[in-house]
Amino acid sequence: MTLPSGHPQPKCPRHVAIIMDGNGRWAEARGLPRSAGHKAGIDALRRAVRAASAAGVEVLSLYSFSTENWRRPKAEVAFLLSLLRRFIRQDVADLHAEGVRIRVIGARDDLEPSLVRLLAEAEQLTKANTGLTLVIAFNYGSQQELARAARKLAEQVAAGTLAPQDIDMARLGAALDTSDLPMVDLLIRTGGEQRISNFLLWQCAYAEFVFLNLFWPDFDAAAFDKALADFAGRDRRFGGLKARSA
Ligand code: IPE
Ligand code: IPE
Ligand code: MG
């Protein structure tokens, strides 16, 4: 992850993560139910996937339902769950044809077995694809993910297959849902809030943050390119010194 100083810095992020926020406010501003905003958000999600593929991004991680979102009214939660099902059913074949590899991160325990199966099938179908890796964070919370990883390692220690002194950054990283993925380079949040809301805390250790003042359903290729341009202008020092110009 560290770059030697003076090394040319990559201008296109390998891993972009997006907190897709503002669906409800987008709908409310139009006198529509919040569900209309979530529905319009799916079109924005499709635009994001296309824009990321076109830009040559390797991994696009999308926050689509947080562990905290269960606090919402039952009807809204049910709508969001049904929207995920519909998206997977409708889009998986197209994504597969475009070479997209689908990964789902988050806890599966609270989800219905039929939904868990659907997600596993999408991952299985697309796992050998070599295009964009699309990470869907569903029922995802970063603190919960870290706790799950700690538990996994503790179980290995208890079973005698892991020595405590062998637990390091790499081991912990490998026990996370994102084990084989690169660290997040660029985190984008729409909707105007400037917070991380329990998304990829470990993985964003050195991410650049871009906050966009638009609601998620209004997100498009131009907004994505603006975030990439912003990223390209950043000086990423990783704790070192400013990269020397030639
Ligand atoms: C993001 O939009 C979608 C999810 C969190 C599932 P919101 O539903 O949070 O929309 P706002 O923030 O209330 O406008
Ligand atoms: C973050 O948005 C979660 C997703 C986009 C899925 P929220 O709307 O839930 O976040 P808060 O409540 O503003 O922190
Ligand atoms: Mg929100």
Side-chain angles (χ1 to χ4, degrees), residues 201-218:
L201 303 178
W202 169 280
Q203 297 85 344
C204 281
Y206 260 107
E208 296 295 327
F209 286 41
V210 170
F211 298 103
L212 296 176
N213 247 328
L214 52 87
F215 294 134
W216 177 249
D218 291 326

Side-chain angles (χ1 to χ4, degrees), residues 20-26 34 38 64 69 72 76 80:
M20 310 183 288
D21 196 24
N23 292 349
R25 281 165 287 164
W26 179 91
R34 292 177 57 85
H38 295 314
S64 50
N69 287 146
R72 295 188 180 198
E76 179 163 343
L80 289 166

Side-chain angles (χ1 to χ4, degrees), residues 54-224:
V57 166
E58 282 176 45
V59 183
L60 177 68
S61 294
L62 301 177
Y63 204 6
S64 50
F65 189 87
S66 76
T67 41
E68 288 68 37
N69 287 146
W70 294 103
R71 294 180 183 145
R72 295 188 180 198
K74 256 196 166 118
E76 179 163 343
V77 168
F79 187 80
L80 289 166
L81 288 165
S82 71
L83 212 53
L84 174 69
R85 263 183 215 274
R86 219 179 313 155
F87 170 72
I88 296 286
R89 289 212 181 99
Q90 286 179 354
D91 284 52
V92 147
D94 286 349
L95 292 169
H96 184 43
E98 286 158 24
V100 173
R101 181 168 71 119
I102 297 172
R103 279 277 297 274
V104 184
I105 59 169
R108 309 274 165 112
D109 333 358
D110 311 321
L111 303 178
E112 276 180 29
S114 64
L115 178 56
V116 173
R117 256 195 321 273
L118 191 69
L119 298 175
E121 281 164 15
E123 287 183 309
Q124 182 62 28
L125 175 73
T126 61
K127 74 170 188 211
N129 288 345
T130 55
L132 177 78
T133 296
L134 174 62
V135 180
I136 300 172
F138 198 88
N139 193 23
Y140 177 85
S142 189
Q143 291 180 314
Q144 291 84 341
E145 177 195 33
L146 283 160
R148 267 202 313 278
R151 200 180 317 135
K152 238 186 269 175
L153 297 178
E155 281 164 4
Q156 290 169 22
V157 170
T161 55
L162 178 66
Q165 60 270 25
D166 289 337
I167 298 177
D168 55 10
M169 256 169 67
R171 287 269 184 183
L172 186 48
L176 297 173
D177 298 355
T178 50
S179 56
D180 56 336
L181 302 174
M183 296 287 269
V184 174
D185 297 300
L186 169 62
L187 176 82
I188 300 171
R189 180 169 187 146
T190 61
E193 313 293 354
Q194 303 197 348
R195 54 176 169 252
I196 197 161
S197 299
N198 202 15
F199 191 41
L200 299 174
L201 303 178
W202 169 280
Q203 297 85 344
C204 281
Y206 260 107
E208 296 295 327
F209 286 41
V210 170
F211 298 103
L212 296 176
N213 247 328
L214 52 87
F215 294 134
W216 177 249
D218 291 326
F219 185 87
D220 58 10
F224 191 76

